[in-house]
Amino acid sequence: MRKKIIAGNWKMNKVLSEADQFVTAVSDKVPNSDKVEAIVCAPFPYLSALVEKTKGTSLKVSAQNMHFEENGAFTGEVSPVMLKDIGVSHVVLGHSERREYFAETDETVNKKTHTAFKHGLTPIVCVGETLEQREANETEGLVETQVKKALDGLSDEQITQTIIAYEPVWAIGTGKTASSEDANKVCAHIRNVIKEVASESVAEKVIIQYGGSVKPANVDELLAQSDIDGALVGGASLEADSFLQLVEAGAK
Ligand SMILES: O=C(CO)COP(=O)(O)O
């Protein structure tokens, strides 16, 4: 039985006092359970403070991006070495907003998955189609390519540890959720792709999240699906109460 992982992606939201209040309200309420894991993906300036504040609790702290190089002349970038050094455990890679606005490609996502593992960070790799691609029936092919390229060259052990987040772009921040059956179909397809590139036993272990307008009202139905092992949540992760409801749903 795979555990559920609920990750709240704050994107570019909150000032430090709000981030601090959120973690104060949430961290002690996250259960220490083998059924659910809870992660907050916070903006870079807060990571260090949040790692300190969550010590001794079950709430994990993730970055939302990083560079693939360890250091060097890359003004404005943050490296995996820095994230590891301050105690961050996870990093979101290839979010559709990074792909759309910041020229992230399958190739850079692949480089980043490799450096993430090199430095002991767990990658949350995002894949998903645009509305245009869905309407052209390209969803499965596109997601397959994104997954294969992101995981290229990783060992089976590393693939087992990778978290994949299926986030249809048209469902992000729009209030439109993929039906749980449609979301599950794509997540099951991703599991098949992993079976092909690694093995059945690896595919059975990999955590595949769904993301796109997940909220307390629809999370139970999504998590009840056979191949959806959690959620990557934007809007509904910004309020402590709503985030905790999502975590509770994952613990059921
Ligand atoms: O992009 C998302 C999480 O990474 C989803 O955002 P929303 O939950 O706001 O649709």
Short mmCIF file of all heavy atoms in Angstrom, two decimals, residues 124-154:
data_model
loop_
_atom_site.label_atom_id
_atom_site.label_comp_id
_atom_site.label_asym_id
_atom_site.label_seq_id
_atom_site.Cartn_x
_atom_site.Cartn_y
_atom_site.Cartn_z
N ILE A 124 10.15 16.32 -6.81
CA ILE A 124 8.73 16.21 -7.16
C ILE A 124 8.64 16.71 -8.60
O ILE A 124 8.74 17.91 -8.85
CB ILE A 124 7.85 17.08 -6.24
CG1 ILE A 124 8.07 16.70 -4.77
CG2 ILE A 124 6.37 16.96 -6.63
CD1 ILE A 124 7.34 17.62 -3.76
N VAL A 125 8.54 15.79 -9.54
CA VAL A 125 8.63 16.13 -10.96
C VAL A 125 7.23 16.34 -11.54
O VAL A 125 6.39 15.44 -11.49
CB VAL A 125 9.35 15.01 -11.75
CG1 VAL A 125 9.31 15.30 -13.25
CG2 VAL A 125 10.78 14.85 -11.27
N CYS A 126 6.99 17.55 -12.06
CA CYS A 126 5.65 17.86 -12.57
C CYS A 126 5.55 17.63 -14.08
O CYS A 126 6.46 18.02 -14.83
CB CYS A 126 5.32 19.32 -12.31
SG CYS A 126 5.42 19.78 -10.59
N VAL A 127 4.46 17.02 -14.48
CA VAL A 127 4.17 16.80 -15.90
C VAL A 127 2.70 17.13 -16.13
O VAL A 127 1.92 17.16 -15.19
CB VAL A 127 4.46 15.33 -16.31
CG1 VAL A 127 5.92 14.98 -16.13
CG2 VAL A 127 3.58 14.35 -15.55
N GLY A 128 2.35 17.38 -17.38
CA GLY A 128 0.93 17.64 -17.65
C GLY A 128 0.74 18.39 -18.94
O GLY A 128 1.65 19.08 -19.41
N GLU A 129 -0.45 18.25 -19.49
CA GLU A 129 -0.74 18.81 -20.81
C GLU A 129 -1.53 20.11 -20.74
O GLU A 129 -2.22 20.37 -19.76
CB GLU A 129 -1.54 17.78 -21.64
CG GLU A 129 -3.04 17.72 -21.38
CD GLU A 129 -3.42 17.08 -20.03
OE1 GLU A 129 -2.53 16.66 -19.28
OE2 GLU A 129 -4.64 17.03 -19.75
N THR A 130 -1.44 20.90 -21.80
CA THR A 130 -2.26 22.11 -21.91
C THR A 130 -3.64 21.70 -22.44
O THR A 130 -3.82 20.56 -22.90
CB THR A 130 -1.66 23.12 -22.91
OG1 THR A 130 -1.60 22.47 -24.20
CG2 THR A 130 -0.25 23.54 -22.51
N LEU A 131 -4.56 22.65 -22.42
CA LEU A 131 -5.91 22.36 -22.93
C LEU A 131 -5.85 21.99 -24.42
O LEU A 131 -6.49 21.05 -24.88
CB LEU A 131 -6.82 23.58 -22.72
CG LEU A 131 -8.29 23.37 -23.04
CD1 LEU A 131 -8.87 22.22 -22.22
CD2 LEU A 131 -9.08 24.65 -22.78
N GLU A 132 -5.03 22.76 -25.14
CA GLU A 132 -4.87 22.50 -26.59
C GLU A 132 -4.40 21.07 -26.84
O GLU A 132 -4.90 20.37 -27.73
CB GLU A 132 -3.78 23.44 -27.11
CG GLU A 132 -4.22 24.31 -28.22
CD GLU A 132 -3.07 25.20 -28.66
OE1 GLU A 132 -1.92 25.08 -28.18
OE2 GLU A 132 -3.35 26.02 -29.56
N GLN A 133 -3.41 20.67 -26.05
CA GLN A 133 -2.86 19.30 -26.20
C GLN A 133 -3.90 18.26 -25.82
O GLN A 133 -4.02 17.23 -26.47
CB GLN A 133 -1.59 19.15 -25.35
CG GLN A 133 -0.43 19.96 -25.92
CD GLN A 133 0.70 20.19 -24.93
OE1 GLN A 133 0.48 20.27 -23.72
NE2 GLN A 133 1.92 20.30 -25.44
N ARG A 134 -4.69 18.54 -24.78
CA ARG A 134 -5.73 17.58 -24.40
C ARG A 134 -6.75 17.45 -25.53
O ARG A 134 -7.15 16.37 -25.92
CB ARG A 134 -6.43 18.02 -23.11
CG ARG A 134 -7.67 17.19 -22.80
CD ARG A 134 -8.05 17.21 -21.35
NE ARG A 134 -7.17 16.41 -20.54
CZ ARG A 134 -7.52 15.27 -19.91
NH1 ARG A 134 -8.74 14.80 -20.02
NH2 ARG A 134 -6.65 14.62 -19.19
N GLU A 135 -7.16 18.61 -26.08
CA GLU A 135 -8.18 18.57 -27.13
C GLU A 135 -7.66 17.89 -28.39
O GLU A 135 -8.43 17.33 -29.16
CB GLU A 135 -8.69 19.99 -27.41
CG GLU A 135 -9.64 20.42 -26.30
CD GLU A 135 -10.04 21.90 -26.35
OE1 GLU A 135 -9.45 22.66 -27.15
OE2 GLU A 135 -10.95 22.26 -25.58
N ALA A 136 -6.35 17.92 -28.60
CA ALA A 136 -5.77 17.24 -29.76
C ALA A 136 -5.43 15.78 -29.44
O ALA A 136 -4.72 15.11 -30.21
CB ALA A 136 -4.52 17.99 -30.20
N ASN A 137 -5.92 15.31 -28.29
CA ASN A 137 -5.68 13.91 -27.88
C ASN A 137 -4.22 13.56 -27.68
O ASN A 137 -3.80 12.44 -27.93
CB ASN A 137 -6.25 12.96 -28.94
CG ASN A 137 -7.59 12.45 -28.50
OD1 ASN A 137 -7.86 12.36 -27.29
ND2 ASN A 137 -8.44 12.13 -29.46
N GLU A 138 -3.46 14.57 -27.25
CA GLU A 138 -2.01 14.34 -27.11
C GLU A 138 -1.58 14.06 -25.67
O GLU A 138 -0.38 13.90 -25.40
CB GLU A 138 -1.24 15.57 -27.62
CG GLU A 138 -1.36 15.76 -29.12
CD GLU A 138 -0.84 17.11 -29.61
OE1 GLU A 138 -0.32 17.89 -28.79
OE2 GLU A 138 -0.98 17.37 -30.81
N THR A 139 -2.55 14.03 -24.75
CA THR A 139 -2.20 13.95 -23.32
C THR A 139 -1.25 12.80 -23.00
O THR A 139 -0.18 13.00 -22.43
CB THR A 139 -3.48 13.82 -22.47
OG1 THR A 139 -4.30 14.96 -22.73
CG2 THR A 139 -3.16 13.76 -20.98
N GLU A 140 -1.66 11.58 -23.35
CA GLU A 140 -0.86 10.43 -22.91
C GLU A 140 0.53 10.44 -23.52
O GLU A 140 1.52 10.17 -22.83
CB GLU A 140 -1.60 9.12 -23.19
CG GLU A 140 -2.87 9.05 -22.33
CD GLU A 140 -3.41 7.65 -22.12
OE1 GLU A 140 -2.92 6.70 -22.78
OE2 GLU A 140 -4.34 7.52 -21.31
N GLY A 141 0.62 10.77 -24.81
CA GLY A 141 1.92 10.79 -25.49
C GLY A 141 2.83 11.85 -24.88
O GLY A 141 4.02 11.61 -24.64
N LEU A 142 2.25 13.02 -24.62
CA LEU A 142 3.06 14.12 -24.09
C LEU A 142 3.58 13.80 -22.68
O LEU A 142 4.76 13.97 -22.38
CB LEU A 142 2.22 15.40 -24.03
CG LEU A 142 3.00 16.53 -23.39
CD1 LEU A 142 3.60 17.43 -24.44
CD2 LEU A 142 2.17 17.32 -22.42
N VAL A 143 2.67 13.31 -21.84
CA VAL A 143 3.05 13.00 -20.47
C VAL A 143 4.09 11.88 -20.45
O VAL A 143 5.05 11.89 -19.68
CB VAL A 143 1.75 12.65 -19.68
CG1 VAL A 143 2.07 11.95 -18.39
CG2 VAL A 143 0.95 13.91 -19.41
N GLU A 144 3.92 10.94 -21.36
CA GLU A 144 4.90 9.83 -21.48
C GLU A 144 6.29 10.38 -21.80
O GLU A 144 7.28 10.00 -21.18
CB GLU A 144 4.41 8.87 -22.57
CG GLU A 144 5.34 7.73 -22.80
CD GLU A 144 4.68 6.61 -23.63
OE1 GLU A 144 3.44 6.58 -23.75
OE2 GLU A 144 5.43 5.79 -24.15
N THR A 145 6.35 11.30 -22.77
CA THR A 145 7.64 11.89 -23.13
C THR A 145 8.22 12.67 -21.96
O THR A 145 9.42 12.55 -21.65
CB THR A 145 7.45 12.87 -24.33
OG1 THR A 145 6.85 12.14 -25.39
CG2 THR A 145 8.76 13.46 -24.80
N GLN A 146 7.38 13.46 -21.28
CA GLN A 146 7.89 14.25 -20.16
C GLN A 146 8.45 13.34 -19.05
O GLN A 146 9.52 13.61 -18.50
CB GLN A 146 6.77 15.13 -19.57
CG GLN A 146 6.37 16.28 -20.49
CD GLN A 146 5.20 17.09 -19.94
OE1 GLN A 146 4.30 16.54 -19.31
NE2 GLN A 146 5.20 18.38 -20.19
N VAL A 147 7.73 12.25 -18.76
CA VAL A 147 8.18 11.33 -17.70
C VAL A 147 9.47 10.64 -18.12
O VAL A 147 10.45 10.59 -17.36
CB VAL A 147 7.09 10.30 -17.36
CG1 VAL A 147 7.63 9.19 -16.45
CG2 VAL A 147 5.89 10.98 -16.70
N LYS A 148 9.50 10.12 -19.35
CA LYS A 148 10.70 9.40 -19.81
C LYS A 148 11.93 10.30 -19.79
O LYS A 148 13.01 9.90 -19.36
CB LYS A 148 10.49 8.84 -21.22
CG LYS A 148 9.62 7.59 -21.22
CD LYS A 148 9.52 7.01 -22.61
CE LYS A 148 8.79 5.67 -22.57
NZ LYS A 148 8.36 5.22 -23.90
N LYS A 149 11.75 11.53 -20.28
CA LYS A 149 12.91 12.44 -20.33
C LYS A 149 13.34 12.84 -18.93
O LYS A 149 14.53 12.93 -18.63
CB LYS A 149 12.60 13.67 -21.18
CG LYS A 149 12.50 13.31 -22.64
CD LYS A 149 12.58 14.53 -23.53
CE LYS A 149 12.70 14.12 -24.99
NZ LYS A 149 12.46 15.24 -25.90
N ALA A 150 12.40 13.10 -18.03
CA ALA A 150 12.75 13.52 -16.67
C ALA A 150 13.54 12.43 -15.95
O ALA A 150 14.46 12.71 -15.19
CB ALA A 150 11.50 13.87 -15.88
N LEU A 151 13.17 11.16 -16.20
CA LEU A 151 13.77 10.05 -15.45
C LEU A 151 14.98 9.44 -16.16
O LEU A 151 15.63 8.55 -15.61
CB LEU A 151 12.73 8.94 -15.22
CG LEU A 151 11.43 9.35 -14.50
CD1 LEU A 151 10.52 8.14 -14.34
CD2 LEU A 151 11.74 9.98 -13.14
N ASP A 152 15.28 9.94 -17.35
CA ASP A 152 16.34 9.32 -18.16
C ASP A 152 17.66 9.24 -17.39
O ASP A 152 18.14 10.23 -16.83
CB ASP A 152 16.53 10.16 -19.44
CG ASP A 152 17.45 9.44 -20.41
OD1 ASP A 152 17.36 8.21 -20.50
OD2 ASP A 152 18.28 10.12 -21.05
N GLY A 153 18.22 8.06 -17.34
CA GLY A 153 19.54 7.87 -16.72
C GLY A 153 19.51 7.67 -15.22
O GLY A 153 20.55 7.42 -14.61
N LEU A 154 18.34 7.74 -14.60
CA LEU A 154 18.26 7.50 -13.15
C LEU A 154 18.27 5.99 -12.90
O LEU A 154 17.79 5.21 -13.73
CB LEU A 154 16.97 8.08 -12.56
CG LEU A 154 16.79 9.60 -12.58
CD1 LEU A 154 15.46 9.97 -11.91
CD2 LEU A 154 17.93 10.32 -11.88
#
